[in-house]
Amino acid sequence: MTDPLKPPPKKDPQKVQAVPLLPPSMRSRAAMGLTAAAAEARFMLQHCARCGAVQYPPRDACRECLSVDLDWRDTDPRGVLIAETTVRTSPNLYFRGQAPWRTGTVRLEAGVSVVVHVHGDCVKGQAVRLINRLDRAGQGVLMALPEEATPDMADDPELRELTADPKHRRVLIADARADHTPALVQALRAAGATTIFLGEAEAWRPWPGRAALAALEGVHILPLDVTDTASVTELAGEIGGKVDILINNARFLRPGGVLSRTDTAWAREEMEVNALGLMRLAQAFGPGMRARGADGVNSAVAWVNILSAHALVPDPAYGAFDASQAAALSLSQSLRAEMRPGGVRVMNVFTGPTEDAWHQDVPPPKVTPGALARALVAGLREGCEEVWCGDVARDLAERWRKGPKVLEREMGGDT
Amino acid sequence: MTRRDYAGVVLAAPFSTPYTRYSTETAHHWIARALAGCLDAAGLRKDAVDGLSVASFTLFPDTPVGLTQHLGFSPRWLDSIPMGGASGVVAVRRAARAVQAGDADIVACVAGDTNQIDSFRKLLSSFSRFAMDAAYPYGYGGPNAMFALLTDRYMTEYGATRAEFGHLCVAQRANALRNPNAVMKTPLSLEDYLGARPIADPIALFDCVMPCAGAEAFLVMSEDAAARLGLRGARIAGTIERHNAFPDDPVQLRGGWAVDVDALWAQAGCGPEDMDLVQTYDDYPVISVLQFEDLGFCPKGEGAAWLAARDLTVSGDLPHNTSGGQLSAGQAGAAGGFLGLVEAIRQVTGTAGPTQVAGAARALVSGFGMINYDRGLCSGAAVIEGVA
């Protein structure tokens, strides 16, 4: 049985901040395939394209037939925990700090033995299922979970290290006014977030739903304009040390590509909010979060951007907006590398067209606020770097992986 | 095809440096000391050595090639044995063939490593690609964690107990107390063993070797050359070597010895019961147990209890790891793969001094090495006997 996680004690300002430490992060290029799959919380192993043999650890050639054609494929995660140990001392500082640490050997039905992290509720000799998650160093690692869910299983200390679970954490949502913010607030509170800060630009402008949000316990509406460096810096000075999860949902969107507009005014605004807004937030909140990556139960754990899946490839009908999304995606990848020393995850939630006024003429399926909130919280609980929200986003991602050039032409329409 | 024997070749001039827990010196230093000691024992000048076989983890950025210039050797035959705990047996196999073929007259086999503060941690971090990709990210317990998994599985499968493993460790400590070069100098009781600090369950402190600095060396030459030099030599009755045996076993509960055991005893012309002493590779007690089982001393799965019923000390009915083994003498990197072999040469040539087993004529030496991921890949064994 997992002990439910206790709320963190009030922080002692006299104590020295725990320095974020990372597990070993060196990997061969082949092993990075596990990391790429873990970014989406998929359990994948290499399969030989010629003879089908499953490989582990990741290799450059098949152990059965020497074929160099090895594909990463979704794999049956079921197996049996056949040996276990508890590491009580380690020359690695991260594991030294985390000790005791349970690891074990799982024999997979796929026919390979795998050394894995072991959830406290797993029983030796019994069936387990493996998950593939990013660890604090941002590398894919495998963990055995009990076959059936157990009470409070997400609170297992080893599993918690692999996730960005909102439980007992404090969240800043950059734009209180966004259509999906009430749904996000609801989902985060249901997931155990203790405090939710909501950023509000141009407070003089009334908006529906404000009173309902403001009335919720633990929800605080505070001034924040991501296009104004002073505003961002001021808020960071006030609450920066208490933001464990930052959700950057500020967005400015107008239809139109390059020739369908006559000037760059809206494009400039899109860049200001969608790309440079991310950068301003990051410059104000990022360093503090990175330093608080090992701050106990409510350590800083994740930075979330909500992006259009068209960051990958533009829909010319929204071409200028999509350019700002591509810029934001690129910035998020830099930010991810820069946050990594603190063990703070940068997660992008890619959506298809959202159910809002700016997508009136776009046919369904469209992403509802509730669906977006569910996907985002699930992504945090799985510690993802990439979440594809909605059928359109998943479809785009798959087509993009198969051939970005083909997809570009398809996006161009039939004319 | 039957394997050719090792007629006409002997092992001689065994030499061990004292071991130290930490050293500010380099692998070059320790290897030089062992080679010098070995040549002194043989009464040979350096230039008499025309073959060199080196096993070391800490020569970086040098290799044995760089070592020839560093130490001023001009060998016509040079070997590098990157096989850790199997390096002694493998070095013998190759050097003996070189001498038989005339590719070298006198081969100096040496293994040594330094242990600077933090060098064990650095060695671990670059040990192997599979370890880097698939072992270290999971608790970073190093070999302790991997052998803990193996020990756990062994105990579950065969019902072996910690006390049975302890019997082996306690006997080796008693042997080490006779060996002035051993790192461990205090007696160990079964209570000490069972009450020791847990490291990676079920592995506790006295199941683990102490990384240290030191080196071991011996010479391989023709029987005639040894006679000319007035050296007592040890003949090689039989040997085996195997890598990555049983790759589909879910957890390693047997090593390559189990593949080749019949070939070993057939070539040696004797059996386990004929051994006056046994030197196993004892990085963890469970590994010694696997060697006794796989080399035919007792049935599979019964090794721990079988050994617990025997006196494994120098004066016992089955003298085992007579210099204390790695568990009590220390593990000087690759020299751990030479420790048992060098001691066995001393034993069968009657030069073991304080650890001498009375009347020792034949010894089994077994090696095991290289935890590439979840199991040791290299195994080897040799039967040696004193030249009457």
Side-chain angles (χ1 to χ4, degrees):
Chain A
M1 291 285 279
T2 309
D3 292 329
L5 205 58
K6 292 193 183 69
K10 200 166 159 48
K11 199 169 177 185
D12 178 355
Q14 296 197 82
K15 257 178 109 175
V16 178
Q17 174 100 29
V19 178
L21 297 166
L22 303 180
S25 66
M26 286 235 302
R27 296 290 193 284
S28 68
R29 192 155 203 274
M32 296 281 196
L34 206 62
T35 299
E40 299 177 36
R42 289 168 77 176
F43 179 70
M44 302 175 91
L45 294 178
Q46 286 176 312
H47 294 236
C48 177
R50 195 163 96 182
C51 77
V54 177
Q55 323 279 326
Y56 194 83
R59 289 169 161 77
D60 301 333
C62 174
R63 67 191 163 90
E64 293 292 338
C65 74
L66 296 181
S67 163
V68 292
D69 207 357
L70 303 178
D71 302 330
W72 287 90
R73 292 186 203 158
D74 293 305
T75 303
D76 183 351
R78 290 170 306 156
V80 175
L81 180 65
I82 57 172
E84 67 161 311
T85 183
T86 300
V87 176
R88 298 180 183 276
T89 177
S90 168
N92 173 275
L93 287 173
Y94 172 82
F95 285 115
R96 199 160 166 252
Q98 298 285 340
W101 191 271
R102 193 180 186 206
T103 65
T105 304
V106 168
R107 186 66 175 180
L108 283 175
E109 293 197 5
V112 290
S113 289
V114 182
V115 174
V116 296
H117 301 305
V118 179
H119 189 283
D121 292 341
C122 293
V123 179
K124 190 170 72 175
Q126 294 194 3
V128 294
R129 64 190 164 93
L130 295 196
I131 54 170
N132 178 26
R133 296 287 184 268
L134 296 169
D135 67 9
R136 281 267 169 263
Q139 293 287 28
V141 290
L142 304 173
M143 181 168 186
L145 301 184
E147 203 176 27
E148 305 291 338
T150 56
D152 299 307
M153 72 182 293
D155 291 355
D156 178 83
E158 292 188 24
L159 182 55
R160 178 110 172 153
E161 278 297 294
L162 305 183
T163 67
D165 200 302
K167 186 172 180 181
H168 295 319
R169 286 193 163 109
R170 299 155 297 183
V171 185
L172 168 62
I173 300 175
D175 184 4
R177 276 198 184 83
D179 290 333
H180 55 243
T181 297
L184 260 183
V185 168
Q186 195 189 357
L188 288 164
R189 292 177 90 225
T194 52
T195 304
I196 300 176
F197 304 109
L198 300 176
E200 182 187 39
E202 302 171 340
W204 50 269
R205 215 157 36 85
W207 47 285
R210 187 185 196 280
L213 281 175
L216 294 173
E217 199 196 330
V219 174
H220 309 280
I221 301 180
L222 300 168
L224 174 64
D225 179 349
V226 301
T227 64
D228 175 0
T229 303
S231 157
V232 177
T233 311
E234 193 175 328
L235 185 65
E238 203 176 317
I239 63 164
K242 296 187 279 193
V243 174
D244 309 322
I245 297 171
L246 191 153
I247 300 175
N248 169 29
N249 66 335
R251 144 153 131 170
F252 185 92
L253 181 155
R254 295 291 180 274
V258 178
L259 298 184
S260 57
R261 291 183 184 176
T262 54
D263 60 31
T264 56
W266 279 353
R268 185 180 297 271
E269 196 61 23
E270 282 158 348
M271 286 291 177
E272 274 299 338
V273 176
N274 304 340
L276 299 179
L278 188 165
M279 203 160 160
R280 283 188 199 93
L281 280 172
Q283 286 169 349
F285 286 89
M289 290 178 73
R290 186 173 60 183
R292 283 207 316 108
D295 204 15
V297 169
N298 56 358
S299 62
V301 72
W303 181 290
V304 183
N305 300 301
I306 300 175
L307 300 176
S308 164
H310 286 291
L312 297 176
V313 59
D315 173 359
Y318 292 84
F321 168 75
D322 290 344
S324 75
Q325 297 298 287
L329 170 58
S330 181
L331 287 171
S332 76
Q333 289 167 336
S334 291
L335 179 63
R336 182 174 288 148
E338 294 175 82
M339 292 294 262
R340 196 166 287 139
V344 178
R345 185 88 70 244
V346 173
M347 175 172 106
N348 289 328
V349 179
F350 295 94
T351 74
T354 41
E355 195 74 78
D356 58 39
W358 294 110
H359 291 93
Q360 293 175 47
D361 55 351
V362 177
K366 288 194 259 192
V367 175
T368 64
L372 176 62
R374 277 193 301 278
L376 190 149
V377 170
L380 288 172
R381 283 178 161 161
E382 295 184 327
C384 294
E385 282 182 352
E386 259 131 44
V387 173
W388 306 94
C389 179
D391 295 329
V392 172
R394 275 191 292 274
D395 174 74
L396 263 181
E398 200 178 322
R399 286 153 73 194
W400 180 74
R401 282 186 188 121
K402 282 186 179 156
K405 187 64 189 173
V406 170
L407 181 59
E408 179 203 318
R409 181 61 190 85
E410 286 175 329
M411 284 292 125
D414 300 329
T415 47
Chain B
M1 202 172 116
T2 52
R3 301 174 195 220
R4 195 178 158 189
D5 63 22
Y6 296 95
V9 181
V10 292
L11 317 177
F15 184 84
S16 307
T17 70
Y19 284 8
T20 64
R21 174 75 177 97
Y22 288 108
S23 169
T24 56
E25 305 295 349
T26 61
H28 307 64
H29 164 103
W30 288 100
I31 287 171
R33 280 177 63 179
L35 286 171
C38 185
L39 291 175
D40 280 351
L44 282 173
R45 285 164 48 94
K46 191 153 65 78
D47 52 15
V49 170
D50 61 352
L52 195 59
S53 171
V54 181
S56 178
F57 292 113
T58 52
L59 277 174
F60 185 83
D62 281 346
T63 67
V65 176
L67 199 64
T68 63
Q69 188 172 35
H70 195 117
L71 301 182
F73 284 91
S74 303
R76 62 187 175 117
W77 183 92
L78 179 65
D79 203 357
S80 174
I81 318 266
M83 297 182 196
S87 57
V89 169
V90 173
V92 162
R93 285 167 56 87
R94 295 182 181 181
R97 294 304 186 204
V99 169
Q100 276 186 325
D103 288 347
D105 292 325
I106 295 182
V107 179
C109 297
V110 65
D113 273 297
T114 188
N115 186 40
Q116 295 166 352
I117 302 284
D118 217 29
S119 68
F120 183 69
R121 201 173 65 95
K122 285 181 189 149
L123 172 66
L124 276 186
S125 66
S126 59
F127 195 75
S128 74
R129 179 170 142 182
F130 280 3
M132 174 180 85
D133 285 346
Y136 298 153
Y138 300 89
Y140 205 91
N144 289 333
M146 285 304 149
F147 283 98
L149 293 173
L150 206 153
T151 306
D152 178 61
R153 181 68 184 164
Y154 184 92
M155 290 170 74
T156 305
E157 185 82 17
Y158 299 123
T161 65
R162 295 250 313 131
E164 287 165 351
F165 292 131
H167 176 77
L168 185 141
C169 298
V170 167
Q172 287 193 199
R173 181 60 60 87
N175 292 345
L177 297 179
R178 296 166 175 257
N179 170 12
N181 281 354
V183 167
M184 301 299 186
K185 307 269 187 214
T186 52
L188 178 73
S189 70
L190 191 59
E191 290 68 40
D192 297 334
Y193 172 88
L194 292 171
R197 177 164 65 90
I199 301 293
D201 310 355
I203 297 282
L205 188 63
F206 297 114
D207 293 296
C208 306
V209 298
M210 182 76 89
C212 60
E216 306 268 342
F218 59 91
L219 300 178
V220 182
M221 62 184 78
S222 68
E223 213 167 317
D224 294 344
R228 276 199 303 278
L229 291 164
L231 294 174
R232 279 186 276 185
R235 290 194 187 110
I236 308 157
T239 70
I240 51 172
E241 174 182 343
R242 180 70 58 176
H243 306 280
N244 193 30
F246 310 117
D248 294 323
D249 284 4
V251 174
Q252 185 168 40
L253 294 178
R254 53 183 174 168
W257 314 284
V259 180
D260 303 294
V261 56
D262 294 342
L264 174 71
W265 295 119
Q267 186 179 36
C270 54
E273 63 287 356
D274 300 315
M275 297 300 105
D276 297 316
L277 61 125
V278 177
Q279 309 282 357
T280 64
Y281 188 79
D282 60 329
D283 47 357
Y284 297 84
V286 69
I287 297 303
S288 291
V289 172
L290 297 193
Q291 287 160 75
F292 278 104
E293 291 171 352
D294 294 347
L295 287 165
F297 285 81
C298 60
K300 191 71 204 168
E302 296 176 16
W306 187 84
L307 286 166
R310 264 154 193 82
D311 182 350
L312 303 173
T313 61
V314 166
S315 55
D317 60 327
L318 179 59
H320 172 236
N321 290 354
T322 48
S323 64
Q326 300 182 87
L327 286 167
S328 280
Q331 181 183 61
F338 269 48
L339 180 76
L341 175 62
V342 169
E343 169 72 3
I345 299 170
R346 279 193 289 262
Q347 289 285 351
V348 299
T349 55
T351 57
T355 61
Q356 183 66 50
V357 172
R362 270 199 286 222
L364 173 75
V365 181
S366 168
F368 174 75
M370 307 308 283
I371 311 303
N372 193 56
Y373 164 46
D374 63 339
R375 62 194 69 199
L377 295 189
C378 310
S379 61
V383 176
I384 64 171
E385 51 198 18
V387 177

